[in-house]
């Protein structure tokens, strides 16, 4: 999970770097196209069989949700510091808990609802709503976090019917196909460095999805998910070294509140699971 977070933030850093010279939609196209090509090479003749799914509509909708998440997040990091956007994305796991009751029928107790509310307060501290253009741009990663939370809920639901590689294949291929129709209207011919960076984004996206799957296969979600908060360390480091950005005090305070809220929710979910197992 720690490696996954490093790969995710490395991909985001490359995307922010590319978005300074190329349209964001072209960067998103590269992320999905080269991810899909890597997956096709890895799976080879197994790919057609893996495309068989019992819930095609949900697979397609889930894949589109991740595509929208990527577009919003990549657009957001092209406008605001990487660490700020990463902190706002911490809201996603908290939203998953909030959505698990209406969408999955799971019970959410008053303590976790209180943690959800506190997490949103942390997000407001980071975003600091107002008329400033940078503050408005911060709404893009917040929208990405909302879409990503719904995406994760659908992923959890699909795990009961489809194998992980099937879900991974739809994620890459749907994004690549959709963006191949969009990118001609936002095309800027890359130079050699541009092509190499675009290929790198696809490779990082593909490998990070693989390590994420392996993390959840190796240990319970409650054990590995808290390590996702390590991404803020990498985002801060990359932001400073590559772009000269450092999060301000309020961003750090908000991120800590969101992280504490999320960790408490994971703690409560783990206790609930242990209680259910012992019963």
């Amino acid at each position: 999970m720690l490696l996954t977070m490093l790969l995710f933030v490395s991909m985001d850093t490359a995307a922010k770097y590319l978005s300074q010279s190329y349209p964001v939609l072209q960067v998103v196209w590269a992320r999905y196209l080269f991810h899909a090509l890597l997956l096709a090479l890895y799976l080879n003749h197994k790919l057609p069989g893996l495309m068989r799914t019992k819930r095609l509509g949900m697979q397609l909708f889930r894949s589109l949700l991740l595509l929208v998440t990527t577009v919003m997040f990549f657009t957001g990091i092209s406008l605001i510091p990487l660490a700020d956007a990463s902190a706002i994305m911490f809201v996603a796991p908290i939203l998953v808990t909030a959505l698990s009751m209406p969408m999955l029928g799971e019970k959410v107790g008053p303590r976790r609802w209180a943690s959800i509310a506190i997490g949103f307060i942390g997000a407001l501290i980071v975003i600091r709503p107002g008329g400033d253009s940078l503050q408005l741009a911060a709404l893009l990663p917040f929208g990405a976090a909302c879409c990503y939370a719904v995406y994760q809920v659908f992923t959890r639901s699909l795990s009961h019917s489809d194998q992980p590689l099937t879900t991974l294949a739809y994620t890459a291929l749907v994004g690549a196909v959709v963006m191949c129709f969009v990118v001609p209207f936002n095309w800027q011919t890359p130079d050699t460095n541009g092509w190499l960076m675009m290929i790198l984004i696809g490779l990082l996206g593909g490998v990070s999805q693989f390590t994420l799957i392996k993390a959840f296969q190796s240990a319970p979600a409650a054990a590995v998910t808290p390590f996702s908060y390590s991404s803020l360390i990498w985002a801060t480091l990359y932001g400073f070294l590559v772009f000269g950005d450092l999060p301000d005090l309020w961003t750090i305070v908000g991120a800590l509140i969101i992280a504490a809220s999320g960790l408490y929710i994971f703690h409560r979910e783990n206790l609930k699971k242990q209680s259910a197992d012992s019963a």
Side-chain angles (χ1 to χ4, degrees):
M1 194 62 170
L2 290 170
L3 176 59
T4 298
M5 292 303 105
L6 172 59
L7 293 171
F8 275 158
V9 178
S10 298
M11 178 183 68
D12 296 338
T13 303
K16 182 177 176 66
Y17 176 81
L18 273 175
S19 66
Q20 296 176 341
S21 305
Y22 300 96
V24 171
L25 292 179
Q26 187 173 348
V27 177
V28 175
W29 164 82
R31 182 257 179 272
Y32 282 98
L33 178 70
F34 292 111
H35 178 184
L37 291 176
L38 175 67
L39 190 68
L41 288 172
Y42 174 72
L43 296 175
N44 203 352
H45 62 278
K46 297 179 183 178
L47 185 59
L50 286 171
M51 297 306 292
R52 298 191 187 98
T53 174
K54 299 175 183 177
R55 307 170 80 177
L56 179 61
M58 185 174 288
Q59 284 284 9
L60 295 175
F61 183 66
R62 171 193 167 280
S63 300
L64 288 173
L65 276 173
L66 186 60
L67 177 59
V68 172
T69 299
T70 307
V71 171
M72 295 182 76
F73 188 72
F74 279 12
T75 305
I77 61 176
S78 71
L79 300 170
I80 66 173
L82 195 60
D84 291 31
S86 297
I88 296 168
M89 281 296 289
F90 284 167
V91 177
I94 298 171
L95 284 169
V96 170
T97 302
L99 293 171
S100 63
M101 185 174 71
M103 296 183 69
L104 296 176
E106 298 178 1
K107 184 179 179 181
V108 178
R111 292 181 181 179
R112 283 189 287 174
W113 277 118
S115 294
I116 290 167
I118 292 170
F120 274 108
I121 292 172
L124 289 174
I125 291 173
V126 177
I127 297 171
R128 299 191 288 280
D132 186 272
S133 59
L134 287 179
Q135 292 171 343
L136 293 174
L139 294 176
L140 285 166
F142 183 76
C146 294
C147 290
Y148 191 63
V150 180
Y151 160 86
Q152 287 185 312
V153 172
F154 276 111
T155 301
R156 187 183 297 182
S157 179
L158 282 167
S159 67
H160 302 301
S161 59
D162 291 340
Q163 56 182 307
L165 279 177
T166 296
T167 302
L168 180 60
Y170 271 95
T171 299
L173 294 175
V174 170
V177 169
V178 172
M179 293 311 299
C180 280
F181 283 102
V182 174
V183 77
F185 302 99
N186 297 268
W187 183 258
Q188 181 177 325
T189 303
D191 56 18
T192 302
N193 182 60
W195 277 119
L196 290 174
M197 290 293 292
M198 288 182 183
I199 293 171
L200 177 64
I201 286 177
L203 291 175
L204 289 170
V207 176
S208 61
Q209 290 294 327
F210 177 76
T211 57
L212 183 64
I213 289 172
K214 295 302 291 183
F216 283 108
Q217 285 178 342
S218 303
V224 298
T225 302
F227 289 99
S228 63
Y229 291 101
S230 65
S231 63
L232 186 60
I233 298 172
W234 298 117
T236 303
L237 186 62
Y238 272 129
F240 176 68
L241 293 177
V242 180
F243 307 106
D245 295 328
L246 279 175
D248 61 19
L249 176 62
W250 288 113
T251 298
I252 295 172
V253 170
L256 290 175
I257 291 173
I258 297 169
S261 173
L263 290 171
Y264 181 76
I265 287 172
F266 291 129
H267 170 67
R268 293 298 303 175
E269 288 180 350
N270 196 32
L271 289 178
K272 181 182 175 184
K273 186 178 184 300
Q274 289 176 353
S275 177
D277 290 343
S278 61

